[in-house]
Amino acid sequence: MKKVLSMQKITSTLTLLAAGVGAALAEPSPNMPTGPGQCVAMDNGMGGTIYVGHPCPQPRPMDGPTITTSPDGVTTFVNTGSSAFPEVDPFLDPTQASNMLQNWNGNIFDGNGAEMPNTLPSSNEHPYNLHDTPVVSPIEIASPTDDLTHLFNKIKKNGPPAMRQAMIQQALDILEGNPLTGNLANRAYSGIPVLHYKGPEKLKQVDPATKNVSIHQIWYDGHIEADTALIDTSTVADEPYTITYTIDVLNRGEDDFSPYVMYFDDPALSPPGMPPMPHVAMDATFFPMHEGTRNVFVMKMAPGKYYNLTYNWGWRAHPPRVQVSENVNKKLPTAVDPVTGAPISSPPQNLYWWEQQVFGSNPTANETNKLAAIARIGELAPEKRMWTALKAAQGANGKALEDLMKEAAAALDDWNHRTRLPRGFQADPNADITLVYLNNTIYGQMKGGGIASFDKWRTRHDANAPDGKAHVKITLLNGDHFVHSYMNVDFGGARGWENQFQSTKDIGGSGCWFTFGRVHWWPNVGGPMGMVNVPPVSADGMSPGLHKVDLTLNYEPSRRLRFYNFDPAHHDTAVFSVH
C-alpha cells in the first residue's frame, strides 16, 4: 500500500494539534468555566498554558487519521482517529450518548481561554441570540424551475421564429445568470446562474468601516444559490462583524433559515506552517421563512480570525438544499494542476487561486471568457445538457427542435433530483454512497436509493464487516473538465456535540425536528491534511474520472449529522451531507 502521508508526519502533526502548541496569547476570560467536565488548564509544552474541554476546545484525536492508497492509486483508505468517549450507541437513548456534552449556556472559548463573542446562538432568555427579528417583504415567487419549464414547453411548440428565438435566449439567460429582461425582469433570481462557472466573481470582503458583508441567496426546490461563496475576513481579524443575508424564498423553497457556522481555534496557536486548528461549529439560528418573501437577517459573527465557513442548509430538503461561504484565505496543498490533474510543485494556495485557475479571473467579462469558463463544466451535467440543447435549438425547427427540447426537459428533471444520479451514470453496487461531481456540484445516491441516511453506522464496531469495524465506502466520479477534491468531516462524533436550547415550533418552524446545536468538529480526510483528488472527465466528456474512499470509523456519530462530504477546493454547492 502506498503512503499518501507518512505515518510519522501525521502522528507528529496531530500531536501538535492536540496539544495546541504555541504560546498563550491572551489572559483567560473571567467568564471561562473551570471544573469537572469544563475548561481545564494544561501546560502547552513551551512554558505557556492552554485550555481544553467544552466550552474550550475539546481534545483532538492523536492517533489518526492514517491515510494510505492502493497500489493502483484508485482507492484511498482512511483509518480515522479514535473517539474521546466510551462506545455507546447514541441512537438508543440520546440522553445517554457518551459523546453528548453537558450544555453550556454561554459563549465558547478558544485555546487561550479567551471568550469568543457571538458563539452562543440561543438561550432561554434570548431564543435568537445572534440576530434581531428579520425584515420580511413580499416578492415574486417564480423560480428558475418554473420559468425554464414554461419556456421549454413554449419553445417545443415551434411558434414564430422571432418569438422562439427570444424565448431560447431567455432560457439561456437563466442558465448563464445574465440579467433578465422583458417579462422576466422582476425575477428575484436574476443574475444568479444555474451553471456554476462564476466562482472567481463570488468573492466579497468584510467592509472595515461598517464591519459587515452582504450576501444574497435564493431558495427554491432543492436549491440554495448565492452571489457569494468566498469571504475575506482579514479586515476584522480581531473584531466581531456581521453578515447581512437577503434571502428570497421562491416557489417550493419554504424552510428554516439555518446558517451553520464553523470556527477555527486562534490561528496563533498553530505550529508555524500549520493551518488553524478545528474548534467548534454551531447552528446560528433556525428561523422559518415562507414562499414569496424576502427575508433580511443581520447575523452576528465571532472575530474574523476564527472564521472557517458557513454551511447554509435547509433541513426540509437536505441534501441537496445547501450552499456554503468559505474563508477565502484558507490554503490548500497544490500537488496537482487544478485543471489537468498533472503533478506540479507549488506552495499551498488560497481558495480564490483555485477558482481562478479553473474559471479565469473574470468569467463574465466578455463572451470569450464566459464560453471558456462554461467549457469547464462537463457535457453530462444536467445543467450543461440544457444549455447545449438550447444552443442547438437556435438553428433548429420541426422534429429536430422537438427532440432537442425533449433532451432539455429530461435534463431539467435530472437537475431537480440531486439525490439520484443523472442519466449517463450508474451507482457503484459495492459502494455505500456514489457521488458524482457535475456542474461544480455534487449529485449523490445512497446504496439502494432513498434518503441520504447511513443508518447502519451506529457504533464503531460492525459485526457484519470482515474486520468487525464500521466502514463507509464512497465512490467518487468526476464529470467536469477540472480536478475535484474530496473532504469528509465529522460533526462532533469523535470530539463531542451539544444539543441546546430552542425549538422553533412556536413561531411555525421546525419544532422538535431540529434544535440549535454546537459540535466540536474534526476532519476525517481531505483539505490541508492531504488532498484526495478525483481526475477530470475525458476530453470528450463521456468517461468520468474515478476515485474511491474507504473510511474505517473509529467513533460513534453524533445525532446532528453523521458526516459531511464536500469539495474543499470548490465548495459553494458541491456538498452531499449524510444523516
Side-chain angles (χ1 to χ4, degrees), residues 91 318-319 419 432-433 445-447 449-458 472 561-563 576-579:
F91 297 94
H318 180 260
T419 54
D432 297 300
I433 310 168
Q445 186 168 312
M446 305 299 295
K447 188 173 186 176
I451 62 173
S453 180
F454 190 51
D455 293 333
K456 77 173 187 177
W457 178 35
R458 299 171 68 100
V472 59
L561 189 74
R562 278 182 166 88
F563 48 81
F576 195 87
S577 292
V578 176
H579 289 272

Side-chain angles (χ1 to χ4, degrees), residues 227-510:
D227 67 352
T228 307
L230 301 170
I231 301 177
D232 182 359
T233 62
S234 62
T235 55
V236 287
D238 296 305
E239 302 173 279
Y241 64 101
T242 56
I243 299 179
T244 298
Y245 289 93
T246 299
I247 303 175
D248 294 326
V249 185
L250 310 181
N251 213 2
R252 299 171 300 278
E254 182 168 313
D255 214 322
D256 286 30
F257 179 51
S258 44
Y260 185 86
V261 186
M262 300 182 72
Y263 285 121
F264 289 118
D265 205 345
D266 187 338
L269 287 172
S270 293
M274 292 298 299
M277 294 175 283
H279 187 8
V280 73
M282 63 200 67
D283 296 304
T285 187
F286 273 99
F287 202 96
M289 304 183 298
H290 303 288
E291 292 177 0
T293 62
R294 169 167 287 180
N295 304 263
V296 180
F297 295 84
V298 181
M299 301 299 304
K300 301 172 186 176
M301 305 292 291
K305 66 182 177 183
Y306 298 114
Y307 187 60
N308 178 16
L309 60 85
T310 305
Y311 172 48
N312 302 285
W313 67 291
W315 71 272
R316 288 180 173 88
H318 180 260
R321 189 177 282 171
V322 63
Q323 190 276 330
V324 176
S325 60
E326 282 263 16
N327 183 339
V328 70
N329 297 306
K330 288 165 58 174
K331 292 185 177 181
L332 296 175
T334 52
V336 299
D337 183 280
V339 176
T340 67
I344 61 171
S345 178
S346 172
Q349 300 288 345
N350 70 15
L351 297 181
Y352 177 75
W353 181 90
W354 284 87
E355 293 289 351
Q356 185 184 43
Q357 294 302 302
V358 173
F359 297 108
S361 299
N362 298 289
T364 61
N366 52 58
E367 193 67 13
T368 299
N369 286 14
K370 180 189 294 184
L371 293 176
I374 291 174
R376 299 294 191 203
I377 304 302
E379 285 73 13
L380 292 175
E383 303 86 339
K384 183 73 170 285
R385 294 179 82 147
M386 286 190 280
W387 184 83
T388 302
L390 288 166
K391 285 288 191 179
Q394 289 177 316
N397 51 54
K399 179 68 164 52
L401 178 65
E402 184 178 340
D403 289 345
L404 287 166
M405 297 318 298
K406 285 181 179 178
E407 159 65 12
L412 178 65
D413 183 66
D414 275 340
W415 172 60
N416 275 316
H417 293 88
R418 268 181 51 202
T419 54
R420 73 177 193 215
L421 303 190
R423 291 171 301 149
F425 293 90
Q426 294 293 325
D428 182 351
N430 298 313
D432 297 300
I433 310 168
T434 303
L435 302 179
V436 181
Y437 297 95
L438 290 167
N439 187 40
N440 217 0
T441 300
I442 296 179
Y443 288 76
Q445 186 168 312
M446 305 299 295
K447 188 173 186 176
I451 62 173
S453 180
F454 190 51
D455 293 333
K456 77 173 187 177
W457 178 35
R458 299 171 68 100
T459 71
R460 69 195 75 175
H461 287 105
D462 181 355
N464 297 316
D467 60 359
K469 296 182 178 181
H471 288 261
V472 59
K473 296 183 178 181
I474 302 169
T475 291
L476 307 168
L477 300 172
N478 185 1
D480 285 331
H481 292 282
F482 58 98
V483 174
H484 277 290
S485 299
Y486 175 77
M487 190 165 181
N488 182 295
V489 173
D490 162 39
F491 277 5
R495 298 179 61 214
W497 58 285
E498 175 193 37
N499 205 43
Q500 62 178 136
F501 315 131
Q502 285 299 122
S503 160
T504 62
K505 178 177 156 185
D506 291 344
I507 56 170
S510 57

Side-chain angles (χ1 to χ4, degrees), residues 11 17 70 114 141 148 154 202 213 297 313 316 318 388 571:
T11 303
L17 290 175
S70 58
I141 197 170
L148 287 171
K154 295 283 285 185
K202 298 175 78 172
V213 63
F297 295 84
W313 67 291
R316 288 180 173 88
H318 180 260
T388 302
H571 205 158

